[in-house]
Amino acid sequence: MFGQKRTGQTSPIIDSIQVQGLQFIAEDKVFNILSSQVHTHLSPSSVQEDIHALFQLGLFKDIQVLTKKKSVPNHIDLIFKLKENKRIAQIKFKGISIVSKKTLEDSIKLKQYSILQPNSITAAIRTFQQIYESKGLLQTHITYEIKDINETSVALTFIIKETTKNFITKFNITGTKFYYPIDIERSLQSAKIDCLSWMNSSGIYQTQKINQDLQIIAQLYLKKGFIKVHVDKPEITLIESDLKQWNAMHINLHITEGEQYYTGNVNIVSDDDNELLFGISDQIKKLALQQGNVFNPFLLQQDRAYLTQLYGNQGFAFARITPQTRINKETRQVNVTYHITRGEKAYIERIEIAGNNETQDQVIRRELDIHDSELFSQNKLLSSKENLQQLGFFTAGTGVQVIRSQSHTNVPNHLNYKVLVEEAKTGSFNGGLSYSGLNGIAINGTITKKNLFGTGKTINLSFELYQRGQSHYNFTLTTPYWLGTLFTQTSNIYSSIESYTDYDIQNYGFQFGFYYPIWKHITLGNTYGWNHEKYSDISARGKQEIEDKYRTISQMLSTSLVYSTVDNPMFPSSGLEVRFNVSQYGNWLGGDLNFQELTTSTQYFYPLNKSHSVVVRLSGSAKQLLKVGAKEPISTYRRFYLGGPTTIRGFDWDDIAGPANEAENDGFDISNKYPYQGDYTSCITADCLSLPATLPEDRKYYVQHRNGITQLLLNAELLFPLTRQGNMLKGVAFYDAGNVWSENKMYEIVGKTKKLGYLRASSGMGIRVITPMGVLHFDYGIKIHKRKTESPSRFDFSIASLF
């Protein structure tokens, strides 16, 4: 290509670089990779590098480099003559049945009209192998063939020989003394095939999971002081099925435990000229590793993080904590010394936001406790991450990362931080279908959009439609950091039609409120509401209850105090929430109603494992209605009742409603105890005329005081995964208990004793299916100590949040 230049002759100068032979590939792609440049001397080594780089692209099957002399002496044109690889005009698959063609096509970058590149084909085959392995077809054989269609295009065919599926049916774990083999097996990610394999892929052998299982086993032993544990490479025994439908796999794992080691002396020393920020003896007592305990290297790292945080909270972001261990084989002890190098105090120079395609920067920044140009603080860094997670806008667990980055000004003790977020789906639709003996079939739904247009606002539209005429519509808008302040503002408008046995009520109104964080995790709120209600389709008993008040207007002012450390509003797994609320209706506010409602509630979430997949939820609430200087009774429909999927499962919506409830009063009929002439269409007999002409006061009281004025509700739930593969299917075990109580006189009328310690209860099991549109709830509750007239159990289905 190039001749040997004579001694003393300089290399020719390149006047131009030309590319010939391109049909489908853009010239820019070639020029961007060339090291040879115009107006420079020709370099054979540079040309060789260019040829190698072009071949590395995998786009060309032949490359020639020519030079063309110019009229100016010692000047040339450099010409790259290229021959492109053929294009893939067709991509075909042979032999597929278990995996669809679309699944294979969508999994690879290789597409129709791509340039034929061996590397791309090899990468595609690796991807196909992974897909088949994930389905248990480990021995699937994949090859390919290429056939010319014309001079510029080919047909690529992947030939796939699918094999019988392989499922893990047995683990043989040997060499264990400290643990039982079954305990180790239960900790593995890989699992034997079970009856839900069609849904959760249990039993499928995956190399990646097996490798992770080896690490899990090692970690189990390391935590118990077996620092020299060794897990052999697993041996696999394949047992072919006589029916050829699937093969059984036995996984053989051998473990060499070694000796168990304990923690020896623990010390903390400074490796620079600076004094420690704390007393050594005091801090050693606070470390997780303590002398005499089993040596756990994970606790060693926990202590390292603890000491790093101590220094970080004082601004020493560059402090280095280096644990040094010395093993004494004779005493089976590990001595630990933490070496600390303080470094300089660090300052935050700049905070950057990344990953927020929808969420506005200001929505994220206002939740941060760290700010530009301030002293570094490890605690503020952690609380900033916690604040962002609690918004519920980002993926739970890994959706918020705060990463240190290099200072732009290169000042040694200045830091930049990048807040990297992964946005979650913040829109949801929840719906449900239920049945009530009183109102028939009910359809309900809720459309929620959090982080509306990336502003942090939340809108909520809900509805309930009943077979027998009831309906509820509700729209709520929540605006955090209202007008740039720390206030959160909520606005709510609603309309409803309630159908009762003795009358219908049409409601409409609005509420708006303001909430302010008075302390960390503590919020104070006030809400004002206005409501108009109208009664219609009123029965004779209904007229007795409402006393000819067919239309009422009420005003309400509610004050609430909330303490919450719940980690995530969508999928909570840890934390405590406590609420106190006082609502005043009427009185100095005006309106036709006059009473108070007092409410206190709490819920506690506690994870039982490190992955937070097993969670206990304990909750309770108590409510009380009080008349304040008013003679009129509190309306029946404003009083309390329990039952249904949101309160006490296994009961219908209003099964638990105080002494006037049929199940509670054992068939008591108020008209039999307190009859009057109005019970008869025509009162002409002597027996009828002997009855009171007007409604007896006790009967009137009974009619106007149905349902309860005191309520207690207790719930306990255990949420756990039903499979080891993923967290989309969960099981629930629950226990619900509660009751409502009326005024003492109601019990006297019915002839019952008021027992404040008496609770109606149920227990049962349920399933949670997590889907993009919401969490599907399937619950079966069984009544405990059911009444004679009650059904023994009830099944409920709804779509709602996780708890």
Side-chain angles (χ1 to χ4, degrees):
M1 181 173 63
F2 300 105
Q4 181 71 33
K5 65 178 182 180
R6 295 189 299 271
T7 304
Q9 181 180 358
T10 60
S11 298
I13 296 173
I14 302 172
D15 274 359
S16 69
I17 298 176
Q18 301 174 18
V19 177
Q20 297 178 357
L22 296 181
Q23 293 182 332
F24 303 104
I25 301 170
E27 284 188 351
D28 290 348
K29 190 156 191 166
V30 176
F31 281 113
N32 288 339
I33 208 169
L34 297 179
S35 59
S36 300
Q37 301 292 326
V38 296
H39 307 310
T40 63
H41 289 282
L42 177 67
S43 169
S45 61
S46 294
V47 173
Q48 289 291 347
E49 291 176 3
D50 292 340
I51 294 173
H52 179 72
L54 289 171
F55 268 122
Q56 285 293 106
L57 290 176
L59 303 176
F60 307 105
K61 61 182 178 181
D62 186 58
I63 301 173
Q64 297 181 28
V65 182
L66 308 174
T67 59
K68 180 180 179 182
K69 293 183 178 180
K70 304 284 287 187
S71 57
V72 179
N74 209 34
H75 283 245
I76 63 166
D77 292 331
L78 184 63
I79 303 171
F80 287 84
K81 193 172 183 180
L82 310 174
K83 191 170 184 180
E84 294 178 347
N85 285 339
K86 294 184 177 182
R87 314 284 286 187
I88 302 175
Q90 298 175 357
I91 299 178
K92 301 178 180 179
F93 296 90
K94 283 186 179 180
I96 59 173
S97 60
I98 298 175
V99 181
S100 69
K101 177 182 177 182
K102 188 177 187 307
T103 298
L104 297 176
E105 287 177 339
D106 293 345
S107 67
I108 58 174
K109 296 179 180 179
L110 196 64
K111 304 297 179 184
Q112 189 178 14
Y113 305 119
S114 298
I115 293 177
L116 183 64
Q117 296 176 272
N119 289 344
S120 297
I121 297 175
T122 303
I125 290 176
R126 282 199 302 267
T127 302
F128 296 158
Q129 291 283 12
Q130 292 172 359
I131 292 174
Y132 275 95
E133 181 181 326
S134 69
K135 296 183 177 296
L137 289 87
L138 300 180
Q139 292 81 30
T140 297
H141 183 64
I142 304 175
T143 58
Y144 69 94
E145 64 180 15
I146 299 171
K147 290 186 178 180
D148 290 337
I149 295 177
N150 51 45
E151 293 183 356
T152 61
S153 60
V154 299
L156 171 62
T157 302
F158 290 100
I159 304 169
I160 300 175
K161 185 178 180 182
E162 296 177 340
T163 56
T164 305
K165 284 189 176 185
N166 302 305
F167 290 100
I168 301 172
T169 59
K170 186 176 183 180
F171 285 95
N172 293 314
I173 301 174
T174 58
T176 59
K177 297 178 181 178
F178 186 82
Y179 285 108
Y180 290 108
I182 188 62
D183 293 332
I184 294 176
E185 182 181 334
R186 287 170 178 167
S187 69
L188 304 180
Q189 290 193 6
S190 301
K192 293 185 294 189
I193 185 173
D194 57 32
C195 59
L196 297 176
S197 62
W198 59 273
M199 179 185 297
N200 59 26
S201 301
S202 64
I204 291 178
Y205 177 92
Q206 295 185 35
T207 303
Q208 181 181 1
K209 282 189 177 181
I210 287 292
N211 292 334
Q212 292 173 353
D213 289 335
L214 300 183
Q215 297 177 12
I216 289 172
I217 295 172
Q219 289 173 5
L220 284 175
Y221 277 95
L222 288 172
K223 290 176 182 178
K224 294 299 182 180
F226 295 90
I227 60 177
K228 296 185 178 181
V229 64
H230 178 74
V231 185
D232 293 346
K233 183 179 179 181
E235 296 180 358
I236 301 173
T237 303
L238 190 64
I239 303 172
E240 294 187 2
S241 170
D242 294 336
L243 300 176
K244 302 297 182 182
Q245 294 180 347
W246 58 279
N247 297 327
M249 296 182 70
H250 292 181
I251 310 297
N252 304 301
L253 294 170
H254 182 75
I255 302 169
T256 304
E257 294 179 341
E259 297 287 343
Q260 189 176 31
Y261 281 75
Y262 294 83
T263 306
N265 295 325
V266 179
N267 197 12
I268 305 173
V269 299
S270 174
D271 272 7
D272 52 23
D273 296 332
N274 298 306
E275 293 185 1
L276 297 174
L277 297 180
F278 44 74
I280 295 177
S281 59
D282 292 337
Q283 287 304 322
I284 287 178
K285 293 177 182 178
K286 297 179 181 179
L287 298 179
L289 272 181
Q290 293 292 313
Q291 186 176 9
N293 293 344
V294 169
F295 177 74
N296 184 342
F298 298 99
L299 294 183
L300 179 103
Q301 296 305 320
Q302 181 179 319
D303 289 340
R304 180 184 182 184
Y306 168 72
L307 294 172
T308 301
Q309 186 170 348
L310 280 180
Y311 274 80
N313 291 337
Q314 299 296 320
F316 296 99
F318 303 104
R320 294 197 310 273
I321 316 296
T322 307
Q324 184 182 57
T325 58
R326 291 185 179 180
I327 300 174
N328 189 323
K329 294 182 179 179
E330 294 181 359
T331 61
R332 290 191 287 120
Q333 287 186 331
V334 181
N335 298 320
V336 180
T337 303
Y338 297 95
H339 294 263
I340 299 179
T341 303
R342 179 190 295 187
E344 295 184 50
K345 282 194 173 184
Y347 293 85
I348 296 175
E349 181 180 293
R350 182 179 176 186
I351 300 169
E352 299 176 339
I353 312 293
N356 52 322
N357 299 320
E358 179 183 10
T359 309
Q360 298 176 8
D361 277 12
Q362 63 169 347
V363 173
I364 296 175
R365 288 189 183 276
R366 67 195 185 191
E367 300 295 334
L368 300 179
D369 292 330
I370 55 174
H371 305 94
D372 297 348
S373 305
E374 73 173 16
L375 183 68
F376 171 85
S377 169
Q378 185 72 22
N379 274 349
K380 288 185 177 181
L381 203 68
L382 295 175
S383 63
S384 297
K385 182 176 179 180
E386 180 183 315
N387 293 343
L388 290 174
Q389 283 284 22
Q390 288 179 340
L391 289 175
F393 301 163
F394 310 109
T395 304
T398 59
V400 179
Q401 299 182 54
V402 184
I403 305 170
R404 183 189 295 183
S405 58
Q406 186 64 38
S407 167
H408 293 295
T409 58
N410 293 321
V411 178
N413 65 335
H414 281 201
L415 296 172
N416 279 2
Y417 274 91
K418 178 180 288 186
V419 179
L420 183 61
V421 299
E422 180 183 348
E423 293 176 324
K425 293 181 179 180
T426 54
S428 65
F429 170 76
N430 302 329
L433 183 67
S434 62
Y435 177 79
S436 165
L438 179 64
N439 299 308
I441 298 174
I443 300 174
N444 62 78
T446 302
I447 300 172
T448 302
K449 174 59 179 173
K450 294 188 174 184
N451 198 19
L452 180 66
F453 306 125
T455 62
K457 297 179 180 179
T458 298
I459 60 170
N460 180 283
L461 175 63
S462 63
F463 65 90
E464 289 180 292
L465 302 175
Y466 290 82
Q467 181 181 3
R468 297 177 184 169
Q470 288 199 77
S471 64
H472 300 264
Y473 298 94
N474 194 304
F475 175 80
T476 303
L477 172 65
T478 303
T479 305
Y481 297 93
W482 178 71
L483 299 180
T485 68
L486 293 178
F487 282 97
T488 295
Q489 195 274 327
T490 62
S491 300
N492 169 247
I493 57 176
Y494 59 87
S495 173
S496 68
I497 297 176
E498 300 275 359
S499 295
Y500 294 93
T501 304
D502 299 311
Y503 47 73
D504 293 342
I505 304 175
Q506 182 179 5
N507 270 296
Y508 60 85
F510 67 87
Q511 293 181 355
F512 66 87
F514 293 91
Y515 301 85
Y516 189 85
I518 59 175
W519 200 257
K520 188 172 179 62
H521 304 305
I522 300 178
T523 302
L524 178 67
N526 282 287
T527 301
Y528 170 80
W530 181 93
N531 181 76
H532 174 276
E533 60 190 30
K534 179 182 178 182
Y535 293 81
S536 61
D537 196 15
I538 307 169
S539 69
R541 189 170 69 169
K543 290 181 180 180
Q544 298 168 9
E545 182 178 319
I546 66 175
E547 293 188 322
D548 298 328
K549 292 183 178 179
Y550 301 111
R551 188 187 306 270
T552 62
I553 293 176
S554 62
Q555 297 188 73
M556 176 272 295
L557 184 63
S558 175
T559 300
S560 63
L561 188 67
V562 180
Y563 170 82
S564 178
T565 60
V566 177
D567 59 346
N568 190 286
M570 298 290 289
F571 298 99
S573 61
S574 66
L576 172 68
E577 180 181 278
V578 181
R579 292 176 176 268
F580 299 97
N581 188 84
V582 179
S583 298
Q584 174 66 55
Y585 290 80
N587 203 348
W588 54 271
L589 288 170
D592 300 318
L593 301 181
N594 190 4
F595 66 93
Q596 285 182 350
E597 181 177 346
L598 310 179
T599 302
T600 179
S601 64
T602 182
Q603 56 180 345
Y604 175 64
F605 300 92
Y606 183 78
L608 297 182
N609 59 351
K610 289 187 176 180
S611 63
H612 289 207
S613 61
V614 181
V615 179
V616 171
R617 172 188 176 248
L618 303 175
S619 66
S621 66
K623 297 181 179 181
Q624 180 69 49
L625 295 175
L626 299 172
K627 290 197 297 181
V628 182
K631 296 180 180 180
E632 298 83 2
I634 301 171
S635 301
T636 299
Y637 87 96
R638 294 185 179 276
R639 295 156 72 95
F640 304 134
Y641 56 87
L642 291 173
T646 59
T647 56
I648 302 180
R649 285 156 284 195
F651 291 82
D652 207 344
W653 287 96
D654 53 358
D655 274 357
I656 304 170
N661 188 43
E662 292 181 2
E664 293 291 332
N665 62 28
D666 298 324
F668 173 83
D669 189 343
I670 189 66
S671 63
N672 290 334
K673 185 172 183 179
Y674 298 103
Y676 84 115
Q677 294 180 11
D679 292 332
Y680 298 88
T681 306
S682 60
C683 187
I684 57 175
T685 65
D687 290 339
C688 177
L689 292 173
S690 65
L691 297 176
T694 59
L695 190 71
E697 287 300 318
D698 282 352
R699 179 168 172 176
K700 181 178 179 181
Y701 187 95
Y702 178 90
V703 171
Q704 294 178 344
H705 293 77
R706 291 177 297 166
N707 297 344
I709 59 169
T710 303
Q711 173 185 301
L712 178 65
L713 176 63
L714 303 172
N715 303 100
E717 287 188 341
L718 175 65
L719 184 76
F720 53 90
L722 286 176
T723 69
R724 296 186 187 180
Q725 321 294 327
N727 288 313
M728 308 307 290
L729 187 64
K730 295 180 180 292
V732 174
F734 62 83
Y735 174 83
D736 301 333
N739 209 342
V740 299
W741 295 269
S742 299
E743 293 85 347
N744 293 336
K745 187 173 181 179
M746 287 292 288
Y747 294 89
E748 295 174 5
I749 293 173
V750 175
K752 295 286 186 179
T753 302
K754 185 176 184 179
K755 299 178 181 179
L756 292 178
Y758 170 61
L759 302 178
R760 302 303 311 276
S762 69
S763 62
M765 301 289 290
I767 295 175
R768 303 290 180 264
V769 182
I770 301 174
T771 71
M773 70 173 183
V775 182
L776 307 183
H777 289 229
F778 302 89
D779 289 314
Y780 183 73
I782 301 172
K783 296 181 179 71
I784 299 175
H785 307 305
K786 82 173 190 69
R787 296 280 186 170
K788 293 181 180 180
T789 58
E790 293 178 330
S791 61
S793 59
R794 176 182 168 88
F795 172 80
D796 285 299
F797 165 72
S798 62
I799 305 177
S801 58
L802 190 58
F803 290 103

